[in-house]
Amino acid sequence: MKTTDNGMGGFQDALERKQAELVHVLRKRDGIAIEKSADEMDEIQDASERDLAIRNVDRESKLLRDVKAALRRIPDGSFGTCIDCESAISPKRLAAVPWAPRCIQCQDAFDQDEPQGTGYASGTLVHAA
């Protein structure tokens, strides 16, 4: 099924751009390098910055997996359909989060079951639309 057949034409381009952006960002992992310092405070700050960089890579890697999954759903015709309840995901939600695999109700239920702070969306993108 072509994406333009069901009104999803612009989503593939948006997803492909997001995928390219994430691949580019993930190739730059300079902040994760382990460096030794004579100053204990510098070492603590470096460790903190490294931890943040690792969390960012984790979040961006998950987002990249979600974007790739959304791109795979386009040709098989399941893009825009909730993976849990199989109802249509609102166009407003898809415009805000084109890689969304769930409708807002199923995403809310999923987030309730997920431990706090583990998702890349943690309250920001999840509730878009």
Side-chain angles (χ1 to χ4, degrees), residues 1-13 74-75 77 79:
M1 177 184 288
K2 292 183 183 174
T3 58
T4 53
D5 291 346
N6 59 8
M8 302 292 170
F11 292 119
Q12 183 166 358
D13 290 339
I74 291 173
F79 180 83

Side-chain angles (χ1 to χ4, degrees), residues 38-84:
D39 183 11
E40 188 176 335
M41 290 305 290
D42 284 344
E43 208 165 301
I44 291 169
Q45 182 171 350
D46 289 345
S48 177
E49 289 172 2
R50 186 173 48 254
D51 289 345
L52 178 62
I54 290 169
R55 284 193 304 272
N56 286 339
V57 167
D58 286 346
R59 185 187 73 246
E60 289 159 351
S61 294
K62 182 188 182 323
L63 181 54
L64 180 58
R65 286 191 301 274
D66 290 347
V67 168
K68 287 180 176 182
L71 284 167
R72 286 191 302 272
R73 288 191 302 272
I74 291 173
D76 72 16
S78 64
F79 180 83
T81 301
C82 179
I83 62 171
D84 291 339

Side-chain angles (χ1 to χ4, degrees), residues 96-118:
V97 188
W99 52 87
R102 296 177 179 84
C103 66
I104 195 71
Q105 293 82 12
C106 290
Q107 187 65 53
D108 283 341
F110 179 80
D111 291 341
Q112 294 298 318
D113 293 337
E114 187 177 288
Q116 287 296 77
T118 59

